[in-house]
Amino acid sequence: MSSIKNPIFEKGINLTRRRFVQGIAMGGVFAGMGLGSRSLLAAALKHQELQTLRGTDFNLTISEQAVNFTGVPRIATTVNGSLPAPILRWREGDTVTLRVTNLLRETSSIHWHGLILPSAMDGVPDIANDFPGIRPGETFTYRFPVRQSGTYWYHSHSGFQEQTGLYGSIVIDPREPDPVTYDRDYVVMLSDWTDEDPMDVYRKLKKLSHYYNFNERTQADLMKDINVRGLAGTWNDRKMWNRMRMSQRDLSDVTGYTYTFLMNGQTPANGWQGLFRKGEKIRLRFINGSAMTFFDVRIPGLKMRVVAADGQNVQPVSVDEFRLGVAETYDVIVEPEDDRAYTIFAQDIARSGYTRGTLTPNPGLTAAIPELDPVPNLEHGDMGMNVMDHGQHQMADGMTMPGMDHGQHQMSDGTAMPGMAHDQHQMSDGKTMAGMDHGQHQMSDGMAMPGMAHDQHQMADGMNMQEMRLEKAGSGGMKPVSLKPNPSDFSARPVQHASTEYGPHVDMRADAPQYRLDDPGVGLRGNGRRVLTYADLRNLRTTHDQPDPDRELELHLTGNMGRYMWSIDGVKHSDAEPLRWKLGERLRITFVNDTMMNHPMHLHGMWSDLETGDNNFLPRKHTVVVQPGSRISYRVTVDAAGGWAYHCHLLYHMLGMFRTVIVA
Amino acid sequence: MIKKTAIAVTALALSTAVMASGEDDPLLYKVMIDKLEVRSTDGPDPLVLDADAWIGYDLNKFWFKTEVEVTDGRIEEAEVQFLYSRAIAPFWDFQAGWRHDIRPKPERDYLALGFKGLAPYLFEVDAGLFIGESGQVGARLDAEYEYLFTQKLILSPEIEMNFYSKDDEEVGVGSGLSDMELGLRLRYEIQREFAPYIGVNWTKKFGQTADFARDEGEDTSDVQFVIGIRAWF
């Protein structure tokens, strides 16, 4: 059934899809619409270089522009006629002035994603202070000091303009010498393009939520499963999902069926190209400027040394692959040792398509393009089930989580236990974990805290491991124990759902959401490659001087996939009161994902200091991916007064899964 | 009376539905021609339409449902329902309104109450209770499943059963289980929105309903091959 898993390589019958996914070789921004000869020339170049604007003073014009990525001419929303928008190159410490003129027939805006700046400059209409958006024909002048360095991006925060092309990258050179050395520097902006009107995409998802999912399991998968697991095994495997009316292939709402995935604005058929000389160190600044697409990125033949996440330096970690959530950025260093071409391969999380580029010493060379990975299935952990915790029947509500009793079965045949596998591995590699050798049940308690395994030093100085174990044993060994709230631990308290989470608008609640920092995520588990996880991220500089949180805030990501409704704590943005935070406080925010999708949560105006295991080296992010059925925590120093947006960065989720934050 | 009650229910519903909106929840509509098919029989082949449409928001909608059978240019059976639909559970909508049977004559009106949604194990279910004038009570269960041979080639078995509390000889309905229909349709989705199909449909009338049919010289049981299209927008 490779044709199902891998529609691109389907022969013959599906030319339409092939064209959609691959795009056309000459795709990109076309001249027309009264533009001058300069853009005509640019469009004629196969490997169109992205325009870079440098300095402190910028004029940006938002307008409509004819493009053609698939063979069908379409109208995009662009900045200075470019898709992606021009790269803005700033210097830390400068004050930049950006005059943004809106030539569209509707209100527009530009948000500087990840930038620490005054609310009035943040560019979210009606939420940022005194900013109603940029009306047609108007020019708005943004002016703010640049207080950070690294890789960021900018995009529209109005309507669906981001989907139609209004996104570009920002590179800020540090004032102090860069801790990262490199000979070449490329931005690699990944994005998703559709020929459809984004409103039509949204309508279709509301009418038929799996409209774009052409990787559902079929007859062929069933036969294969029955061959491998037998009839009973297959039934047991699928029973819970079918009972819950959930698809294990619900990986991405919008796929390569409509999307052409772009790398620096180039279609996969065309392919972006970056040149190098053998032995050089190349810095690649990956930015996910997609509306809806998570990308899994690798460069076969090259190790990638991750040196920054969301623009902020991290302790270098060498990986084969990383997952780039929507709106996240990673900077990596690669050092090709051979005089040959390498493919930068970015497949979407649903394995419905890819985009690609080439690093090459010679413009004439390309490298092989890998096949898409097999389409993965979501696993029990992705539903927020503690797969080890088979004794519990805390799901009185049969709709929420039937089938907990299959945990044991799952365990015995060793399938669907991602978290478990990782943790066991980590435990067995020599770390002392007295008390963990008491068999499965004992372990299952320990496993309610997967963070534990990779966080021993923290435990050593923060918590008493022995005490915790005894406390758990004392509780009868089966129930999660309420540990004393200690903001610096990975306490897995029993999860509580607000009353607003119950109703027709929420189809799932995770009752045993796990910290899964070391879980690379669905489709990347055990793939034989070293995949970056959040557990790998440690700030380059110590964060030990940052204060402990003053208070904790738990937010649940909720939705109903079938009805295509998204919310936080079961309340959508238009019905929600703003979150009111106190200027100067330090917050600890814990997300619980009560859905089966990844949600990249983006807080404007303030850093998200992600708890990845070592509180002395908290990496700073602006966008944090909350894996399906998981929980994750970060800290926020509330140091920016005004109105801020806080939302899921999936474009078709954010209308509902959104909060206004007011800091005063 | 029934008609008035039904209209009152829908009117009340209208006021609730128009209040709910927001940019995340735009007013949408959907028209679904579930079946438009020709059935092969011994006599003239009937043309059957089974369609519905809704307009509304995430949780509140108005539904229209219809089933029409035309044989030899004559409408043999025609039923319409106008319903207010409110989501009451993650996978279930409660629907209430007016069912009007235009054919066979004489026309009949019912207050319609029902649940429509997705049952565990992914069965699409539409279960309705119909309260008619003169105390007639009808019930209908419709369940459908989709089995994917491929992403586009889909087999859907379907069952429909009708029950009535009383004989209604004028329209040929008897008390108890009056009729049952089992269908098996294989469609190919050229697009999500458009799929031709072929299939087989087995119908059987039971009890008094069967007797009424026999009196009219009709078959009480039939196996038909069907060919049709499924489309929505």
Side-chain angles (χ1 to χ4, degrees), chain A residues 4 202-204 206-207 210-211 213-214 216 218-219 222 242-243 245 504 506 560 563 565 572 655, chain B residues 24-25 28-30 58 87 89-93 118-122 147-151 192-193:
Chain A
I4 302 254
Y202 191 58
R203 284 190 196 108
K204 285 176 177 175
K206 287 265 188 195
K207 292 179 193 181
H210 63 274
Y211 186 95
N213 183 356
F214 287 86
E216 292 286 6
T218 62
Q219 157 89 5
L222 181 65
N242 290 335
R243 195 148 92 193
R245 293 150 280 193
V506 176
N560 183 321
R563 299 185 191 276
M565 300 171 72
K572 60 183 186 171
L655 299 168
Chain B
D24 64 295
D25 187 10
L28 297 177
Y29 66 88
K30 182 175 180 177
D58 286 342
F91 298 96
W92 292 98
D93 294 345
L118 194 62
Y121 301 99
L122 302 163
Y147 182 84
L148 274 62
F149 279 109
T150 72
Q151 303 298 332
R192 284 282 191 212
E193 293 92 339

Side-chain angles (χ1 to χ4, degrees), chain A residues 264-576:
Chain A
N264 286 338
Q266 303 290 324
T267 63
N270 199 2
W272 172 79
Q273 197 175 71
L275 293 174
F276 71 90
R277 272 197 290 268
K278 194 173 88 170
E280 281 181 331
K281 280 187 186 173
I282 310 159
R283 180 176 194 150
L284 300 172
R285 301 172 183 270
F286 285 97
I287 302 167
N288 190 343
S290 295
M292 289 297 284
T293 308
F294 276 51
F295 286 103
D296 293 336
V297 180
R298 64 187 205 266
I299 309 175
L302 289 182
K303 280 275 178 190
M304 299 184 283
R305 190 150 44 86
V306 178
V307 293
D310 289 4
Q312 299 289 294
N313 293 321
V314 295
Q315 296 178 23
V317 51
S318 188
V319 299
D320 299 316
E321 186 169 23
F322 60 86
R323 172 161 290 171
L324 191 61
V326 171
E328 286 189 302
T329 80
Y330 284 117
D331 288 27
V332 308
I333 301 288
V334 294
E335 299 179 58
E337 286 168 6
D338 298 326
D339 217 9
R340 67 162 177 103
Y342 298 87
T343 295
I344 305 172
F345 184 70
Q347 56 183 336
D348 84 314
I349 188 174
R351 309 296 181 243
S352 68
Y354 66 86
T355 188
R356 57 120 194 161
T358 309
L359 288 177
T360 177
N362 174 341
L365 290 178
T366 52
I369 301 166
E371 291 212 2
L372 292 172
D373 284 344
V375 182
N377 294 320
L378 290 165
E379 300 174 34
H380 284 184
D382 297 315
M383 220 193 255
M385 294 179 58
N386 181 353
V387 290
M388 298 298 292
D389 223 350
H390 47 83
Q392 284 185 48
H393 290 272
Q394 59 191 54
M395 298 77 199
D397 176 2
M399 306 268 269
T400 312
M401 269 287 135
M404 277 304 269
D405 46 328
H406 304 302
Q408 186 139 32
H409 167 78
Q410 290 288 337
M411 190 151 61
S412 59
D413 67 23
T415 58
M417 303 202 53
M420 166 76 186
H422 288 283
D423 294 324
Q424 261 179 341
H425 168 71
Q426 263 170 328
M427 256 179 248
S428 62
D429 62 27
K431 312 229 170 158
T432 46
M433 270 257 172
M436 292 309 269
D437 54 346
H438 290 167
Q440 296 286 36
H441 282 203
Q442 180 71 39
M443 192 120 90
S444 76
D445 295 328
M447 285 300 100
M449 316 183 152
M452 210 160 85
H454 54 75
D455 193 33
Q456 274 125 38
H457 50 290
Q458 187 201 329
M459 295 233 177
D461 62 39
M463 299 167 61
N464 184 326
M465 176 72 199
Q466 192 74 10
E467 197 176 291
M468 189 176 73
R469 190 166 51 82
L470 289 174
E471 210 177 328
K472 289 189 147 289
S475 75
M478 281 318 225
K479 272 172 68 182
V481 173
S482 281
L483 293 167
K484 187 177 65 175
N486 171 359
S488 61
D489 67 32
F490 282 89
S491 56
R493 289 165 298 166
V495 69
Q496 304 247 318
H497 300 289
S499 59
T500 45
E501 275 199 56
Y502 293 83
H505 56 304
V506 176
D507 64 6
M508 187 189 118
R509 286 168 295 277
D511 280 301
Q514 307 290 297
Y515 285 103
R516 299 214 311 262
L517 292 160
D518 58 350
D519 176 4
V522 63
L524 296 176
R525 296 166 186 145
N527 68 1
R529 302 188 284 263
R530 171 70 170 92
V531 183
L532 184 77
T533 68
Y534 277 173
D536 293 319
L537 298 180
R538 289 161 60 91
N539 203 314
L540 187 63
R541 283 176 303 192
T542 179
T543 55
H544 77 272
D545 52 345
Q546 290 175 0
D548 275 344
D550 303 314
R551 67 180 176 109
E552 293 199 60
L553 179 67
E554 187 169 300
L555 297 170
H556 288 221
L557 306 177
T558 47
N560 183 321
M561 179 65 195
R563 299 185 191 276
Y564 211 72
M565 300 171 72
W566 304 100
S567 53
I568 293 175
D569 290 340
V571 183
K572 60 183 186 171
H573 184 225
S574 55
D575 293 341

